[in-house]
Amino acid sequence: MGFWEHASLVKRIVGIVLAVLLIGGVAAAVVAGREDAGTRTGTGTATKTVRGVIGSEKSEFFADPDVVKALADKGLTVRTETSGSWAMEELPLKGYDFAFPASEAPATALDTKYKVPGSPLRPFYSPLVVVAHRPVAEVLARNGLAALDGKPGAAARGSLRMRPFLDAVRADRTWQQLKGASAHAELNGTVFISSTDPETSNSGALYLAAASFVANGGLVTDAAGVDRTAPLLRKLIAPQGAQQTSSDAPFRDFISGAGNPLVLVYESQVASLLLQKQDVGDLVVLYPDTTVNSAHTLVPLTGEGRALGELLTTDTRLRELAVRHGFRPQGAAAEFTAATAAHTDYLNQTLAGVHQAPVPTTEWLQAMARRSRS
């Protein structure tokens, strides 16, 4: 059932089911999950429990024992459950202190729905990138769909040339039609980027935002723009079949060698692995030359939720830990640059050559998501 069809009976049933699951704690990713906060911190000071719903891309951050301790030292025990960012608006959030989607657009919808006093907070952000194994990236570069930084056989970073790539998608080009692809048996079928469900997931919706900006020659602001871009957006989505609601599983599949040739993820997911000194094999990070930053935006539903958002935004230790998980703190570029200095082969620290596209309003982004799947 389409995410945006609020009036349908099935949608109401789904909302009830989600409510039961959330209340039951089925998706509980626990931050500071110990009951005895005083014992955990060693201070003897009880902490206040703050409950929220987050995008799954932040689960490891909130579950990090160092994050747990840093929050407990400030008097907070945070418990979280996960949801697709765009699905949060349909969840029954009574009794929750915050919602923390992966970008501003779903946060704005939540802000409007719950009439939140004050502004949402944006502690950190992450640009969207495409990951590929080196042979695949080299095939793209050989055919003008990407440009690699570094020598062939050694490049670990580059750019995805969005206009030529979208032209290839529009023309239904297959891997077999690309020069050099025949040497790689795994490259077959239509060329596409594996993304998440744009009706429920932030990264999938922002992919459409960036693609539509290029295809439309500017921001989509009306029904005519939706009509113009809909055929291309369908071609971006249709070959994928069933889509995930989170970028976590596709990225893990890719790292394990079981994923699709091209996968849309957050830069933070790559940076986190690098900063944890995990082996990423022959991974190449392609920064789309037109992309959208995902500004993780916390919507405070209570005073406790706002206190958490302010801590994540201003506390030096928590910003340091956010960087360790690959996020770029807002207004603190030097912190990310310093922490990732050893990984510039993979990461474009300054986002040089990357154009940030504006994001359509919720109304038009919803319309594009519906049309992409129709």
Side-chain angles (χ1 to χ4, degrees):
M1 168 57 63
F3 173 66
W4 313 111
E5 299 172 6
H6 298 287
S8 70
L9 175 60
V10 173
K11 196 149 186 58
R12 290 196 295 272
I13 294 173
V14 169
I16 294 170
V17 171
L18 285 171
V20 173
L21 291 176
L22 282 177
I23 293 169
V26 171
V30 180
V31 180
R34 293 74 169 175
E35 294 297 327
D36 186 356
T39 300
R40 183 182 62 249
T41 63
T43 63
T45 302
T47 60
K48 183 180 292 292
T49 297
V50 182
R51 297 181 66 210
V53 180
I54 64 172
S56 62
E57 69 286 333
K58 293 182 283 289
S59 293
E60 290 187 2
F61 169 75
F62 278 108
D64 185 334
D66 290 335
V67 174
V68 171
K69 182 180 184 305
L71 289 169
D73 287 345
K74 298 296 183 179
L76 296 181
T77 295
V78 182
R79 300 183 186 277
T80 66
E81 290 141 12
T82 60
S83 166
S85 292
W86 282 100
M88 290 183 188
E89 189 182 358
E90 292 302 300
L91 300 179
L93 296 179
K94 183 177 181 180
Y96 288 79
D97 297 292
F98 69 95
F100 203 173
S103 70
E104 191 170 353
T108 298
L110 288 164
D111 185 58
T112 300
K113 179 176 180 177
Y114 290 98
K115 299 179 174 60
V116 176
S119 302
L121 301 108
R122 291 177 282 277
F124 39 73
Y125 69 98
S126 184
L128 290 172
V129 299
V130 175
V131 292
H133 295 293
R134 188 172 295 122
V136 177
E138 290 176 350
V139 168
L140 293 178
R142 185 174 178 181
N143 289 271
L145 306 183
L148 299 182
D149 301 333
K151 298 179 180 179
R157 188 186 81 189
S159 63
L160 180 72
R161 301 178 62 203
M162 281 291 281
R163 189 170 296 281
F165 178 80
L166 293 177
D167 286 343
V169 170
R170 190 181 284 109
D172 299 316
R173 291 184 74 180
T174 65
W175 285 105
Q176 293 92 329
Q177 293 172 327
L178 299 185
K179 291 180 292 186
S182 60
H184 307 284
E186 72 277 13
L187 296 181
N188 57 76
T190 305
V191 176
F192 68 89
I193 295 170
S194 180
S195 63
T196 54
D197 182 353
E199 292 192 276
T200 59
S201 170
N202 178 69
S203 58
L206 294 186
Y207 180 37
L208 297 188
S212 66
F213 181 85
V214 175
N216 192 53
L219 184 67
V220 172
T221 59
D222 54 24
V226 174
D227 290 340
R228 279 192 297 273
T229 58
L232 173 62
L233 300 186
R234 280 196 292 271
K235 289 190 175 187
L236 293 176
I237 302 303
Q240 300 188 46
Q243 292 176 287
Q244 301 277 357
T245 58
S246 164
S247 62
D248 185 58
F251 182 59
R252 290 184 183 279
D253 287 345
F254 176 87
I255 292 296
S256 71
N260 290 320
L262 300 171
V263 181
L264 184 80
V265 301
Y266 297 107
E267 178 197 57
S268 59
Q269 293 171 283
V270 178
S272 177
L273 288 186
L274 294 170
L275 290 166
Q276 293 171 37
K277 296 180 169 48
Q278 294 191 33
D279 182 16
V280 295
D282 64 349
L283 175 144
V284 175
V285 184
L286 299 175
Y287 287 77
D289 55 18
T290 298
T291 190
V292 176
N293 278 344
S294 181
H296 296 270
T297 305
L298 188 146
V299 181
L301 304 175
T302 66
E304 288 79 8
R306 181 165 293 280
L308 171 63
E310 290 173 349
L311 277 175
L312 293 174
T313 303
T314 62
D315 184 78
T316 301
R317 175 58 174 161
L318 286 167
R319 288 206 313 271
E320 173 189 315
L321 292 169
V323 169
R324 191 167 80 185
H325 285 272
F327 299 109
R328 295 175 180 247
Q330 293 282 4
E335 296 178 27
F336 182 84
T337 300
T340 60
H343 305 293
T344 54
D345 286 349
Y346 294 92
L347 304 175
N348 183 348
Q349 291 181 308
T350 63
L351 300 180
V354 177
H355 175 68
Q356 296 296 324
V359 178
T361 63
T362 300
E363 175 187 3
W364 301 120
L365 196 54
Q366 290 173 352
M368 287 191 290
R370 287 196 301 270
R371 293 285 292 276
S372 74
R373 297 183 64 83
S374 63

